[in-house]
């Protein structure tokens, strides 16, 4: 609640305690009444100069409490006025240490410094400052315009930087995409060439195997009875087929002198075949051990074929 300080005519007496108190009329009277509640004081607007020589108009709100009523009554004449003046001078002193930009960024630290300075000076007054808050900061119109221009320039700068970074990221992404596309295309081409080579190799193997099987079948057929006659018939058919296709692909054709004699051409082809077969047979017989039986004489058809080939 409230603490009362009784004062005599000659010297101050100790403050009255809580409860029932008796005063002697005409000798004792209540001189000061101090409230122990938190007090809110508006600090008037004042001008202050910052570190970079900018004049500001600033005001605030001060929150304090009487901690010792005796000191608050007899330590200072007007405690509220004294604390208000101390807050104003401390504010001007603290603002002189900061630049304009730091004043807006460090308002909390500025308030804390003002509270500490007030508490150090008001300790002997029995008053303690709890908080100090800056309400408004007014800057000159020209400074305000320059600050707005600075803010706009900073925003344009950030926008330009962001746009350039976006362009760079876009170019990097496009280049990375092209790189990956080329890598994938080369890998696809490599796989295609490998598959094509494997397919061609398999096709060659299949054709070679088929040709080998055909040669084996042909050799088996020629080794059978009447194989020479069948070979003669096949050669004759191929000759007739080839003769029918003459002069279709080109105008220049080389023909033998006896083109119309099919029998002579067949006999000549069979003679070549017989000569090759005979040479192979001789090589095979030289490699094998000699047999006790005499070799059989050549057939009449084979002799005729050899004579036709020699002629």
């Amino acid at each position: 609640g409230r603490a009362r300080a009784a004062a005599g005519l000659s010297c101050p007496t100790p403050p009255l305690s809580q409860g029932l108190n008796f005063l002697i009329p005409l000798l004792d009277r209540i001189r000061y009444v101090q409230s122990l509640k938190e007090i809110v004081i508006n600090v008037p607007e004042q001008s202050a100069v910052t570190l970079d020589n900018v004049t500001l108009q600033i005001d605030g709100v001060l929150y304090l409490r009487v901690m010792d009523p005796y000191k608050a009554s007899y330590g200072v004449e007007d405690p509220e006025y004294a604390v208000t003046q101390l807050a104003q001078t401390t504010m001007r002193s603290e603002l002189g240490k900061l630049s304009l930009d730091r004043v807006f960024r460090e308002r909390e630290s500025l308030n804390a410094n003002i509270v500490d300075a007030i508490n150090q000076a008001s300790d002997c007054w029995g008053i303690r400052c709890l908080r100090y808050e800056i309400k408004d900061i007014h800057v000159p119109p020209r400074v305000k315009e320059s600050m707005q221009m600075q803010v706009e320039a900073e925003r344009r700068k950030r926008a330009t930087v962001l746009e350039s970074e976006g362009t760079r990221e876009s170019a990097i992404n496009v280049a990375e995409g092209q790189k990956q596309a080329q890598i994938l295309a080369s890998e696809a081409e490599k796989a295609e060439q490998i598959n094509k080579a494997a397919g061609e190799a398999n096709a060659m193997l299949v054709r070679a195997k088929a040709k080998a099987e055909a040669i084996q079948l042909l050799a088996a057929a020629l080794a059978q009875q009447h194989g020479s006659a069948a070979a003669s018939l096949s050669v004759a058919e191929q000759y007739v087929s080839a003769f029918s296709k003459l002069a279709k692909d080109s105008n220049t054709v080389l023909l033998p002198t006896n083109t119309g004699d099919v029998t002579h051409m067949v006999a000549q082809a069979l003679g070549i075949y017989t000569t090759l077969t005979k040479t192979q047979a001789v090589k095979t017989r030289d490699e094998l051990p000699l047999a006790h039986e005499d070799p059989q004489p050549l057939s009449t058809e084979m002799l005729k074929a050899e004579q036709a080939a020699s002629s």
Side-chain angles (χ1 to χ4, degrees):
R2 294 177 177 270
R4 295 172 294 177
L9 297 176
S10 59
C11 61
T13 60
L16 298 177
S17 61
Q18 296 179 357
L20 183 62
N21 295 280
F22 296 97
L23 299 177
I24 301 174
L26 303 176
L27 295 178
D28 297 330
R29 62 178 178 176
I30 298 175
R31 181 69 175 176
Y32 301 100
V33 178
Q34 301 292 344
S35 176
L36 301 182
K37 296 180 181 180
E38 186 173 348
I39 303 173
V40 181
I41 301 176
N42 289 322
V43 179
E45 185 178 0
Q46 60 177 338
S47 61
V49 181
T50 61
L51 184 63
D52 49 356
N53 298 323
V54 178
T55 304
L56 301 178
Q57 298 294 327
I58 188 169
D59 57 358
V61 180
L62 185 64
Y63 300 86
L64 53 87
R65 176 179 291 176
V66 176
M67 306 301 295
D68 190 345
Y70 186 82
K71 292 182 179 180
S73 300
Y74 297 101
V76 64
E77 181 67 26
D78 190 350
E80 294 184 2
Y81 177 78
V83 172
T84 302
Q85 294 299 317
L86 181 61
Q88 289 181 339
T89 56
T90 306
M91 171 64 69
R92 286 193 293 267
S93 176
E94 293 295 329
L95 284 177
K97 301 176 183 178
L98 302 175
S99 62
L100 180 61
D101 295 334
R102 293 184 60 189
V103 169
F104 293 100
R105 289 198 304 264
E106 301 180 4
R107 295 182 64 170
E108 294 182 0
S109 62
L110 182 62
N111 295 335
N113 294 334
I114 293 174
V115 171
D116 293 339
I118 293 175
N119 288 330
Q120 291 178 4
S122 64
D123 187 28
C124 59
W125 300 339
I127 299 174
R128 183 169 184 81
C129 180
L130 302 179
R131 291 182 305 278
Y132 182 85
E133 297 293 338
I134 298 175
K135 289 200 305 183
D136 297 322
I137 299 177
H138 302 283
V139 298
R142 292 184 178 180
V143 177
K144 188 174 181 180
E145 292 177 0
S146 63
M147 292 174 63
Q148 291 179 353
M149 293 174 61
Q150 182 179 1
V151 171
E152 292 177 359
E154 187 67 25
R155 290 179 179 176
R156 286 195 298 269
K157 175 184 176 182
R158 288 200 298 266
T160 305
V161 171
L162 292 176
E163 184 178 0
S164 63
E165 289 180 355
T167 304
R168 185 187 67 177
E169 293 293 334
S170 176
I172 291 174
N173 293 334
V174 171
E176 189 68 24
Q178 293 178 356
K179 175 183 176 182
Q180 294 295 332
Q182 291 180 358
I183 292 174
L184 293 176
S186 62
E187 291 180 354
E189 185 178 0
K190 175 182 176 182
E192 181 181 1
Q193 291 179 359
I194 292 174
N195 294 333
K196 185 177 180 180
E200 291 178 355
N202 292 331
M204 292 175 65
L205 290 176
V206 171
R207 286 196 296 269
K209 188 180 293 184
K211 189 173 182 180
E213 292 178 356
I215 291 173
Q216 290 179 0
L217 293 176
L218 180 60
L222 291 175
Q224 293 179 2
Q225 188 177 6
H226 304 294
S228 299
S232 300
L233 178 60
S234 177
V235 171
E237 289 178 351
Q238 292 179 6
Y239 178 80
V240 173
S241 177
F243 188 80
S244 63
K245 296 180 180 178
L246 291 176
K248 285 187 177 181
D249 297 333
S250 177
N251 295 327
T252 304
V253 181
L254 298 177
L255 298 176
T257 56
N258 52 353
T259 305
D261 191 358
V262 179
T263 305
H264 177 73
M265 296 299 297
V266 173
Q268 185 178 1
L270 289 175
I272 296 172
Y273 168 75
T274 303
T275 303
L276 294 175
T277 305
K278 183 178 180 181
T279 305
Q280 185 67 25
V282 170
K283 290 182 180 180
T284 305
R285 186 170 54 190
D286 292 340
E287 294 176 356
L288 295 175
L290 295 176
H292 296 286
E293 297 180 357
D294 296 333
Q296 296 180 0
L298 296 175
S299 62
T300 307
E301 295 179 356
M302 299 293 287
L303 292 176
K304 291 181 180 180
E306 288 181 358
Q307 292 176 359
S310 61
S311 61

